[in-house]
Amino acid sequence: MRWWSRLRNVVVNRILGLNDTPHRIAWGVLLGFVVAFTPTVGLQMMIFVAVATVMRANKISGLPIVWITNPLTVVPIYYACWRIGAFFLGTDGDPERGEQIIGRLVGAETSFTWDRLVSAEFWEEVGHTLWELGAELWLGGLVVGVGLGLVFYPITLWGVRVYRRARGLG
């Protein structure tokens, strides 16, 4: 339960308690979801900060969201996004092809180690895999990211307002 306490602390105190307008905080969360699900792992923080700056969103509120896709979660998340994108494009995303491509990335034929995770070869393979999965992955990632962002925007607005009322801040 320690992880739950830490997550709660990040959400309640670090996001809802930010010193910014509720809209800008929620806007940052929405943009964080959009960037998090794009196939840009490794560059997402930089992309998010640039997009949040241009879109005038809170840069801090979306950073924890961007970390949803990380080296430990990227394979199942991108696979699901790829399948969703294939559905919307009508390409029906051949599951065997997707599993082969992602299996190569995970290294099914070799044991997955932390050394592999930090190797240049692994990240080169990530780039190659994202290129092969192409349009389906991008579209699926945008559908999921925008969808989750639109769900969490009003939740975040509500949460910031409740947090501030409870503390007598507004």
Side-chain angles (χ1 to χ4, degrees):
M1 279 308 200
R2 184 170 165 83
W3 65 271
W4 181 253
S5 174
R6 292 178 107 172
L7 177 64
R8 183 176 168 271
N9 182 48
V10 167
V11 170
V12 173
N13 297 319
R14 308 287 179 179
I15 295 176
L16 299 180
L18 286 168
N19 186 19
D20 207 341
T21 68
H23 164 71
R24 283 178 44 103
I25 295 168
W27 186 226
V29 168
L30 186 148
L31 293 176
F33 275 109
V34 173
V35 172
F37 288 92
T38 61
T40 55
V41 71
L43 302 172
Q44 292 169 327
M45 285 178 47
M46 292 180 289
I47 292 169
F48 169 74
V49 169
V51 169
T53 300
V54 170
M55 303 294 288
R56 303 179 63 81
N58 186 286
K59 292 174 215 56
I60 296 172
S61 65
L63 282 177
I65 308 304
V66 171
W67 299 332
I68 289 171
T69 46
N70 60 66
L72 299 176
T73 64
V74 72
V75 172
I77 287 174
Y78 282 180
Y79 180 73
C81 288
W82 176 71
R83 293 298 305 244
I84 291 166
F87 171 79
F88 279 103
L89 286 175
T91 59
D92 197 30
D94 177 18
E96 279 186 35
R97 178 177 156 259
E99 288 170 16
Q100 287 172 350
I101 292 168
I102 291 176
R104 264 197 345 250
L105 177 64
V106 175
E109 57 286 335
T110 62
S111 61
F112 189 80
T113 65
W114 287 108
D115 291 337
R116 177 165 159 68
L117 186 64
V118 297
S119 71
E121 294 82 23
F122 174 76
W123 290 103
E124 187 176 314
E125 188 65 35
V126 167
H128 182 70
T129 300
L130 297 179
W131 180 259
E132 278 190 72
L133 297 177
E136 293 96 344
L137 181 57
W138 274 98
L139 179 60
L142 289 171
V143 166
V144 171
V146 169
L148 287 171
L150 290 173
V151 167
F152 279 91
Y153 177 87
I155 292 170
T156 304
L157 271 178
W158 173 81
V160 170
R161 291 176 179 147
V162 167
Y163 178 88
R164 289 181 179 178
R165 263 187 254 125
R167 285 170 177 60
L169 301 172

